[in-house]
Amino acid sequence: MRSVAVLAYDGMSPFHLSVPCLVLGDRLGGERQYDVQVCAEKPGRLGTNAGFDLHVEQGLAAMDDADVVILPSWDPDLEPSDALIEAIRAAHARGATVVGLCIGAFLVAASGIADGREVVTHWRWADQLAARYPGIDVRADVLWSDLGDLLTSAGTAASLDCCLHLVRTHHGLELAERLARTIVVAPYRSGSQAQYIPAPMPSDPADDVIERAMVWARSRLDQPVSLDEWAAAVALSRRTFTRQFRARTGSSGQAWLLRQRLDRARLLLETTDHPVERVAAESGFGSSAALRHHFHLVFGTTPQRHRQEFATPRDGRGLLGSEQQQERVERRGREGDQQDPGHHLMAGLGAVQR
């Protein structure tokens, strides 16, 4: 079981605090997979911006042996103390994964662990973060980024996406999708923050041609789909379809479709005994070689290895229902620390171009 320390502070938004507690505190696969502890620099009674108080028992010592340290938010006008900065640095230095959700990115930047690297934050705060910390590369065009030892996300709902990504990384797609259904959120949102910056939207959902195009494409993931055919299915020209798709999702149609095919392949690998050739065919890659190429490019592993680590046990006890499966999950977490972190970012962007 991985240990998680979640930072609380006086005056914070209870929603931001609740996200990692909700996603990681659930009994995934029927068992607790994370030991989530809320901590504060000064334990005790903390106010919130919602008019009620919290009681936090743990101090910053909770970060000392945590596998994951989550900074769910911060007040950009508040100067973090030396003790808090040192606790974050020490956790990162000994190998903990540090997660900065929303404007928790300000704490990540202040700690120095992101110097020379990229940090994602809410688009409204991106300019201020970049001006205050010129040594980091601030991104406001993606929902989240995973650099292996450091994860950061855009605002509010993107924190849910980022925490679900942690579950996918640690425990596989099938369990993460089951959890997403339980808390009634999308299992995976590809695209960027561009789709959330104010823009005209159809007054009637039935008029959302891009949503209809997505539904049409998802029902044909086992088939070749050309851009011309896709556009024609919703009565748009190729040029108009391409422009509207990017404006609606922040991603190209080809990149979005590739991500859907990869997610279909992952789910089939985890939940069926189909040969890789059949998985490739049913997810629209045409050949096992093409599936292996894209799978390794995005996830940094092979389909066979993914199946070995995350296949649902057949003993009726459910995902992670056997000691063997639990050992596989823990081994993957250890080995994941040694992988090239670059592929995590590509997975977060959902925008592999071909």
Side-chain angles (χ1 to χ4, degrees), residues 52-124:
F52 59 85
D53 294 341
L54 304 170
H55 181 78
V56 178
E57 296 184 354
Q58 301 292 325
L60 294 181
M63 296 186 183
D64 290 348
D65 55 3
D67 298 308
V68 181
V69 172
I70 299 182
L71 313 172
S73 186
W74 190 245
D75 180 351
D77 296 326
L78 184 64
E79 186 71 23
S81 70
D82 292 342
L84 177 55
I85 292 300
E86 181 53 36
I88 297 169
R89 288 174 178 166
H92 182 259
R94 65 168 174 76
T97 299
V98 176
V99 182
L101 302 175
C102 193
I103 52 178
F106 279 82
L107 273 182
V108 170
S111 72
I113 64 174
D115 288 354
R117 309 172 76 190
E118 73 170 33
V119 169
V120 177
T121 194
H122 193 295
W123 58 270
R124 282 187 173 178

Side-chain angles (χ1 to χ4, degrees), residues 2 166-172 266 299-301 305-306 309-310 326-339 343-344:
R2 289 176 172 83
L166 273 179
V167 176
R168 276 197 303 273
T169 300
H170 294 155
H171 301 297
R266 282 205 292 177
F299 303 124
T301 189
R305 180 68 177 276
H306 184 85
E309 303 298 340
F310 292 114
Q326 181 65 35
E327 192 278 332
R328 285 175 175 173
V329 169
E330 292 175 351
R331 187 173 69 248
R332 185 184 189 276
R334 294 192 298 269
E335 293 169 346
D337 293 339
Q338 303 171 8
Q339 293 179 355
H343 76 274
H344 296 293

Side-chain angles (χ1 to χ4, degrees), residues 263-297:
D263 282 350
R264 166 71 67 85
R266 282 205 292 177
L267 194 58
L268 290 172
L269 289 166
E270 293 176 15
T271 60
T272 74
D273 294 321
H274 297 340
V276 173
E277 290 75 13
R278 180 173 173 182
V279 171
E282 292 191 7
S283 51
F285 285 97
S287 71
S288 58
L291 172 60
R292 290 187 182 97
H293 169 77
H294 289 293
F295 211 91
H296 187 271
L297 187 65

Side-chain angles (χ1 to χ4, degrees), residues 212-290:
R212 286 192 281 117
M214 289 176 172
V215 172
W216 184 89
R218 284 196 190 101
S219 69
R220 293 165 174 79
L221 291 178
D222 60 338
Q223 306 170 26
V225 175
S226 71
L227 197 54
D228 288 331
E229 180 185 18
W230 199 1
V234 289
L236 293 178
S237 69
R238 174 177 175 145
R239 182 177 181 180
T240 300
F241 175 76
T242 300
R243 175 175 51 79
Q244 290 192 15
F245 197 98
R246 184 173 292 279
R248 174 74 163 76
T249 69
S251 174
S252 72
Q254 297 96 324
W256 179 89
L257 185 58
L258 175 59
R259 183 70 209 205
Q260 302 307 305
R261 295 191 190 282
L262 285 169
D263 282 350
R264 166 71 67 85
R266 282 205 292 177
L267 194 58
L268 290 172
L269 289 166
E270 293 176 15
T271 60
T272 74
D273 294 321
H274 297 340
V276 173
E277 290 75 13
R278 180 173 173 182
V279 171
E282 292 191 7
S283 51
F285 285 97
S287 71
S288 58

